[in-house]
Amino acid sequence: MTGSAPEDAPLGQRVEVAVPVPLRRTFTYGLPDALQDAVRVGSRVAVPFGPRKLAGFVLGPAEPPPEGTRVRNVAGILDPQPLFHAELLGFLARAAEYYLHPIGEVLRAAAPALPSEAMAALRKGGFLDPGEALPGTRIATRRVLVASPAPHEGELPRLGKNQSLLLSLLRERGSVTLDELRRHAKNPRGVLRALEGKGLVNTEEREVPADRFFADEAPVVPAPDPNAGQVLAIGKLVAALDGGGGFLLHGITGSGKTEVYLRVIAEARARGRGALMLVPEIALTPQLVARFRGRFGDAIAVLHSELSARERDDAWRSLRAGRVQLAIGARSALFAPVQDLAVVVVDEEHDGSFKQEDGFRYHARDMAMLRAHRAGAVCILGSATPSLESYRLAQQRRLELLTLDQRATSQTLPPVEVVDLSRHRGTPSGQRLLTAPLHQALGSCLEAGEQAILFLNRRGFSPSARCGQCGELLECPACSVALTVHRAARVLRCHYCDFSTPNTGACILCGSPDLIELGVGTEQLEAALRQVFPDARVARLDRDTASGEGVEAVLDRLRRHEVDVLVGTQMVTKGHDLPGVTLVGVILADQSLAFPDFRAAERTFQLLTQVGGRAGRGERAGRVVLQTYQPDHPAVRFATRHDYLGFCESEMGAREELSYPPFAHMVAVRVDAGSEERAREAADALVRFARAHPAARDGGVIVLGPATAPIARLRGRYRFRALLKAPERPHLRAVVTALAARIDEGMGSARAILDVDPVAML
Ligand code: ADP
Ligand code: ZN
Ligand code: ZN
């Protein structure tokens, strides 16, 4: 790109514009005199594109086009200020190049959605004068009903059961919102009205922030004095604030990594500079946000998926104008227009959710390093189980390694007991996955009034079903994936495309009633627990339940000890602080080992270590019971001992031997089409092209495939993939760049996607 002009300089007669279309190129437009004052580098503008108008992004001045080329004019400007500042725009342009993704689509993915008025105007072929169109910043609020006990002397009148329950709750807690009361009583509004009639309760409406992350007052907790390990880490990080630098903060769960981030960000703020904090799943981390608010107040942009378009737009503007200097969010917060960026933190940097798996496929951890590097900021990757990629960078001294090897509070890491499933066939309950050791551990945990988490990474009742008559495995009609049996919902469902069909108990192919359900999912485990421990309060957390009650509500119940045993998928392994939990049971550790993926062992080790880290975070010591058919697998053995370095060494050896990342660079070519033949042909053609490229022959670029993808058919499309692998990047890039150009020439009815540094192997 040519965007070298300073941000505030006029651009001249022609501008280079990134248009959100799937083309790996930019376009030249004329800039009429009337727009000379308003349009700058980074502005979002309306441009004619074919018969339509689209919202494009100005990258810089453009060279005069070749003689005789017709140049159309920019039609209008869509925001009062350039949307992207120089640092962010330069970073995004580089990211687009790195991932070989059309820059117009990259910028559109990064930008907040166009306000609906402007969108509507664009669609009609015009554009809006931003001066009149765009609202200013305001904090959205909602009115809530709050109840409080009224002063009352003397004897109470006769009250119903619900009335006296609510009254005693209010007397204990003071004022409580109606939402909160709903968790404790049925129809609280009616009960309140009755109590108000008797003069026992007052109610009033109050304005609270609509955003749930800001609805409660943040508890102000004094910052703890850093311990020796933290002092060392904080010292190095703060010293790097002037010139920037990359760091890997390897700290066991509960070692005080977050406290380190808080200190460094506080120092950046004291210097008037900006910070960006990325977390795997913002929806699961209200406690983290509360901790930041407690330390820094409410001038924080929390970027989460429940924000309305307008709230997102407001957050963007506040950051862009420098009114807010700290942004927290998941993957896409990477694009937040933080000004004068001094610190970028990626917490739980090993987490798979940092990889975007469709559209603009980027890895937020890698891009965080790039953005920080370009901005001269400090980048901190934090984890108890760093990815091998990051650890390798530390070994090569391209990241500086900081280590916290003690828990910050007095607790130690919980002991892990391994149960070999092949030796525990008979179980006390008859449920094969509740072995005697786990059964006993659960029993004594419950007896002591403590809480347990059981982790099983399969939702539904049974992961698959086979017909006893025709012998077929029941599969999704659109995907080569087994249908999962959901008993409560009475459906068979595909977990990849969400296809579902009523479960009548009969085979969907031959109609025989002889269906054999195979395997155990969370729904079945929950039912089994209710039977085996009838007095225990059991709850379930997976994508099926989360869409109903909500993740936070389930975790809240656990925190308030209204739940004794929580059964769940991956969702239970994330960094929640649950002090009452003393037992963690891993039902089937082998599950993630079975994936056809060279990272399966690493992912299993991370998962086991993280889920184990949930036990014993409070006053009482914790323990972990880990069930597996492969007790000798390195991922299991090292996780049992909380031995990250041991695992790392063993796995690095395996990767090096097989030339897999981090010892090689990879690009996946994913091809799909409506027919198997068409997909295979297209994949073959691309592989032949790549193999024939001179750089492939000279540079040791290995082309593997094409092969049928492990999920051979998805949403009705047949899938093939090839992998390009090379020890060094430059030759690989040359081949892949040529491949991109070949794809742009057209693939007929097939579709081809390049996935640079792929994570998902399915
Ligand atoms: P991590 O992010 O590594 O899991 P946290 O920063 O959340 O660790 O710290 C774990 C717990 O220890 C938190 O409750 C935190 O307040 C507390 N903590 C952190 N640092 C200290 C310290 N230096 N002294 C006492 N408590 C600390
Ligand atoms: Zn059948
Ligand atoms: Zn499907």
Side-chain angles (χ1 to χ4, degrees):
M1 63 177 268
T2 37
S4 53
E7 211 171 341
D8 49 355
L11 286 154
Q13 295 308 302
R14 277 167 299 271
V15 286
E16 185 186 9
V17 178
V19 182
V21 290
L23 297 170
R24 284 177 256 252
R25 53 163 295 198
T26 58
F27 297 86
T28 298
Y29 285 91
L31 192 60
D33 289 343
L35 290 174
Q36 286 288 341
D37 283 342
V39 172
R40 292 290 179 268
V41 171
S43 288
R44 181 158 57 180
V45 292
V47 293
F49 195 84
R52 301 173 290 167
K53 278 206 182 64
L54 296 177
F57 305 91
V58 175
L59 299 177
E63 301 294 319
E67 200 75 36
T69 320
R70 187 168 78 107
V71 170
R72 300 169 83 182
N73 277 346
V74 171
I77 181 162
L78 295 165
D79 308 278
Q81 239 201 339
L83 206 54
F84 298 108
H85 61 285
E87 177 260 310
L88 183 52
L89 188 67
F91 157 67
L92 290 166
R94 183 73 193 88
E97 199 178 294
Y98 182 81
Y99 289 107
L100 295 125
H101 199 79
I103 185 168
E105 291 193 341
V106 169
L107 296 179
R108 183 180 51 186
L114 206 57
S116 53
E117 305 92 322
M119 196 67 198
L122 256 190
R123 224 178 276 126
K124 279 194 223 119
F127 64 92
L128 228 64
D129 178 352
E132 59 183 78
L134 297 166
T137 304
R138 73 193 150 67
I139 293 174
T141 57
R142 67 193 159 97
R143 295 186 73 79
V144 296
L145 193 71
V146 180
S148 50
H152 180 83
E153 305 264 320
E155 206 170 309
L156 284 178
R158 264 180 69 84
L159 296 174
K161 183 160 153 277
N162 280 331
Q163 293 178 8
S164 49
L165 187 102
L166 271 199
L167 186 61
S168 57
L169 185 83
L170 290 176
R171 289 192 161 171
E172 185 186 314
R173 295 241 220 131
S175 43
V176 178
T177 64
L178 186 61
D179 284 347
E180 176 69 18
L181 292 178
R182 283 207 178 93
R183 299 181 183 189
H184 299 272
K186 284 211 173 85
N187 184 26
R189 201 184 267 273
V191 179
L192 279 181
R193 211 171 290 134
L195 287 170
E196 203 169 12
K198 293 177 179 157
L200 296 170
V201 159
N202 296 320
T203 61
E204 58 167 325
E205 293 217 333
R206 249 186 239 166
E207 297 266 333
V208 300
D211 190 329
R212 71 176 169 93
F213 284 96
F214 291 89
D216 298 326
E217 231 157 89
V220 179
V221 182
D225 285 331
N227 59 34
Q230 288 169 322
V231 167
L232 207 67
I234 295 165
K236 291 220 164 144
L237 292 163
V238 167
L241 280 177
D242 288 326
F247 295 84
L248 175 60
L249 179 60
H250 176 207
I252 59 172
T253 48
S255 60
K257 295 184 290 298
T258 309
E259 186 56 36
V260 171
Y261 310 148
L262 285 162
R263 295 276 177 165
V264 179
I265 291 172
E267 184 57 35
R269 289 167 69 85
R271 300 177 189 191
R273 304 188 59 200
L276 183 53
M277 169 96 190
L278 304 185
V279 295
E281 264 166 277
I282 186 76
L284 295 182
T285 37
Q287 290 167 303
L288 180 90
V289 172
R291 226 163 131 189
F292 273 72
R293 288 175 62 219
R295 202 66 67 89
F296 301 133
D298 284 352
I300 301 177
V302 179
L303 305 167
H304 58 92
S305 59
E306 293 155 32
L307 292 182
S308 66
R310 173 139 302 164
E311 287 167 329
R312 198 173 300 278
D313 201 61
D314 281 347
W316 183 281
R317 279 164 215 283
S318 309
L319 290 166
R320 178 69 181 90
R323 285 193 298 274
V324 170
Q325 290 190 293
L326 170 58
I328 304 181
R331 186 171 67 216
S332 64
L334 171 68
F335 309 130
V338 174
Q339 300 287 317
D340 194 5
L341 191 61
V343 185
V344 182
V345 176
V346 184
D347 191 29
E348 311 288 357
E349 65 87 30
H350 63 276
D351 196 279
S353 72
F354 287 120
K355 177 75 187 333
Q356 164 81 28
E357 292 292 4
D358 55 34
F360 172 34
R361 292 162 179 260
Y362 62 94
H363 202 305
R365 178 234 300 145
D366 299 347
M367 289 299 103
M369 285 191 270
L370 176 68
R371 185 169 177 191
H373 176 74
R374 292 179 48 98
V378 168
C379 185
I380 312 172
L381 308 184
S383 176
T385 52
S387 62
L388 292 199
E389 280 82 355
S390 300
Y391 206 80
R392 179 87 186 129
L393 291 177
Q395 289 177 331
Q396 296 170 321
R397 305 262 186 276
R398 289 160 68 190
L399 289 176
E400 184 169 347
L401 182 64
L402 306 170
T403 307
L404 300 177
D405 53 13
Q406 303 288 323
R407 276 198 161 174
T409 49
S410 56
Q411 317 126 2
T412 49
L413 287 171
V416 182
E417 181 185 345
V418 177
V419 176
D420 185 346
L421 281 167
S422 58
R423 291 169 187 231
H424 284 86
R425 299 213 171 254
T427 68
S429 60
Q431 170 52 256
R432 203 170 44 82
L433 290 180
L434 278 179
T435 60
L438 181 57
H439 190 115
Q440 278 150 18
L442 255 177
S444 38
C445 171
L446 292 170
E447 209 155 284
E450 297 169 2
Q451 294 170 294
I453 292 181
L454 299 185
F455 165 60
L456 174 63
N457 218 6
R458 280 272 172 89
R459 64 199 163 95
F461 196 84
S462 295
S464 60
R466 189 178 289 283
C467 173
Q469 191 67 37
C470 70
E472 292 292 323
L473 190 70
L474 303 195
E475 284 200 344
C476 172
C479 314
S480 50
V481 168
L483 291 170
T484 299
V485 180
H486 290 259
R487 279 239 180 124
R490 291 165 195 269
V491 292
L492 301 168
R493 180 171 291 141
C494 170
H495 285 179
Y496 287 84
C497 74
D498 262 349
F499 164 86
S500 75
T501 182
N503 183 6
T504 59
C507 171
I508 54 175
L509 299 166
C510 76
S512 152
D514 184 14
L515 265 196
I516 305 158
E517 296 182 357
L518 303 167
V520 178
T522 45
E523 189 185 345
Q524 187 172 154
L525 184 63
E526 182 191 13
L529 284 166
R530 286 184 200 281
Q531 247 178 24
V532 181
F533 299 101
D535 295 334
R537 293 163 298 177
V538 181
R540 174 157 59 97
L541 185 62
D542 55 29
R543 259 208 288 153
D544 298 325
T545 56
S547 55
E549 186 180 10
V551 180
E552 216 14 63
V554 177
L555 291 173
D556 263 355
R557 285 202 285 139
L558 188 69
R559 233 168 259 136
R560 289 198 303 265
H561 208 149
E562 294 164 16
V563 166
D564 302 307
V565 185
L566 181 69
V567 175
T569 54
Q570 284 225 48
M571 283 185 179
V572 302
T573 67
K574 307 280 166 161
H576 324 290
D577 216 346
L578 300 164
V581 174
T582 56
L583 172 68
V584 166
V586 178
I587 299 298
L588 188 53
D590 312 64
Q591 243 163 2
S592 54
L593 284 175
F595 271 75
D597 182 338
F598 70 91
R599 288 194 184 87
E602 180 182 4
R603 212 162 286 143
T604 303
F605 175 81
Q606 287 162 350
L607 210 58
L608 296 179
T609 308
Q610 298 283 345
V611 73
R614 299 303 116 225
R617 288 175 75 99
E619 303 290 307
R620 293 189 249 190
R623 66 190 283 202
V624 178
V625 175
L626 190 160
Q627 304 186 140
T628 177
Y629 285 104
Q630 301 175 66
D632 295 327
H633 193 288
V636 173
R637 265 194 301 123
F638 289 113
T640 308
R641 292 189 238 131
H642 306 286
D643 183 2
Y644 173 79
L645 292 179
F647 174 76
C648 190
E649 193 180 326
S650 134
E651 184 65 13
M652 285 278 190
R655 298 276 182 90
E656 184 161 24
E657 206 163 296
L658 298 166
S659 309
Y660 273 125
F663 297 92
H665 303 285
M666 281 195 344
V667 175
V669 185
R670 303 173 189 284
V671 179
D672 64 48
S675 84
E676 186 172 0
E677 199 189 345
R678 192 61 213 99
R680 184 193 303 275
E681 277 170 15
D684 272 338
L686 290 179
V687 163
R688 271 198 309 275
F689 177 89
R691 287 213 174 102
H693 194 277
R697 279 177 284 145
D698 305 344
V701 178
I702 296 168
V703 185
L704 301 169
T708 315
I711 295 178
R713 204 158 64 97
L714 190 65
R715 295 188 182 89
R717 293 183 70 89
Y718 292 83
R719 309 164 76 232
F720 282 78
R721 65 150 200 232
L723 278 176
L724 278 65
K725 216 163 74 161
E728 305 293 337
R729 260 187 219 284
H731 287 96
L732 180 62
R733 280 215 77 78
V735 179
V736 174
T737 306
L739 206 52
R742 169 69 191 78
I743 292 170
D744 286 347
E745 283 168 20
M747 301 287 303
S749 62
R751 198 165 48 179
I753 284 163
L754 296 173
D755 190 358
V756 177
D757 306 329
V759 171
M761 290 290 139
L762 293 179

